């Protein structure tokens, strides 16, 4: 099994920045995908950014050029989401998700991001 621990959410003013972290523990050797999703009140959960084990990244159109997903090279089990130029519409609960080649994936508990003046 894999357990995920997220951190880094909070309240920020429009135009500000936050960095989310997702740390994976347990059976992590076959993780081949890590994604950050978000869910705003009354809306469906959507994929924001993702990174594969090979380093390929992809982003939702709404965050391209503002958000960056990366993996800590020293701690291969930590994935970050750097969020710049935040907008009120980025307000949501952000969830980390991993997929594995041979086992069940996992979701984190979620971290609240609120963008407001």
């Amino acid at each position: 099994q894999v357990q995920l621990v997220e951190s880094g959410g909070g309240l920020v003013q429009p135009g500000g920045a936050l960095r989310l972290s997702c740390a994976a523990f347990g059976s992590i050797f076959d993780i081949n995908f890590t994604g950050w999703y978000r869910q705003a009140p009354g809306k469906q959960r959507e994929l924001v950014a993702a990174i594969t084990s090979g380093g390929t990244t992809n982003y939702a159109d709404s965050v391209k050029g503002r958000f960056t997903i990366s993996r800590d090279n020293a701690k291969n089990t930590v994935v970050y989401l750097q969020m710049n130029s935040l907008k009120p519409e980025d307000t949501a609960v952000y969830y980390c998700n991993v997929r594995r080649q041979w086992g069940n994936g996992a979701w984190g508990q979620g971290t609240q991001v609120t963008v407001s003046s």
Side-chain angles (χ1 to χ4, degrees), residues 59-71:
Y59 299 91
D61 287 344
S62 59
V63 306
K64 282 181 181 176
R66 299 189 298 121
F67 290 13
T68 303
I69 190 169
S70 63
R71 181 184 295 111

Side-chain angles (χ1 to χ4, degrees), residues 12-117:
V12 64
Q13 292 186 343
L18 285 173
R19 189 177 78 162
L20 306 182
S21 299
C22 174
F25 303 90
S27 300
I28 61 173
F29 65 96
D30 61 343
I31 291 176
N32 55 19
F33 169 98
T34 304
W36 281 100
Y37 291 75
R38 68 185 180 188
Q39 188 166 21
K43 295 188 176 181
Q44 289 188 332
R45 191 172 296 189
E46 62 173 350
L47 178 63
V48 174
I51 186 167
T52 68
S53 55
T56 301
T57 59
N58 68 283
Y59 299 91
D61 287 344
S62 59
V63 306
K64 282 181 181 176
R66 299 189 298 121
F67 290 13
T68 303
I69 190 169
S70 63
R71 181 184 295 111
D72 189 312
N73 288 330
K75 305 174 185 178
N76 200 38
T77 58
V78 181
V79 171
Y80 302 105
L81 183 67
Q82 178 67 43
M83 306 185 295
N84 298 329
S85 302
L86 282 161
K87 304 175 181 180
E89 50 264 44
D90 295 317
T91 295
V93 179
Y94 284 70
Y95 298 91
C96 181
N97 168 256
V98 298
R99 302 173 191 171
R100 298 168 57 199
Q101 185 170 359
W102 293 296
N104 294 326
W107 287 92
Q109 79 281 4
T111 185
Q112 177 70 46
V113 171
T114 302
V115 184
S116 175
S117 55

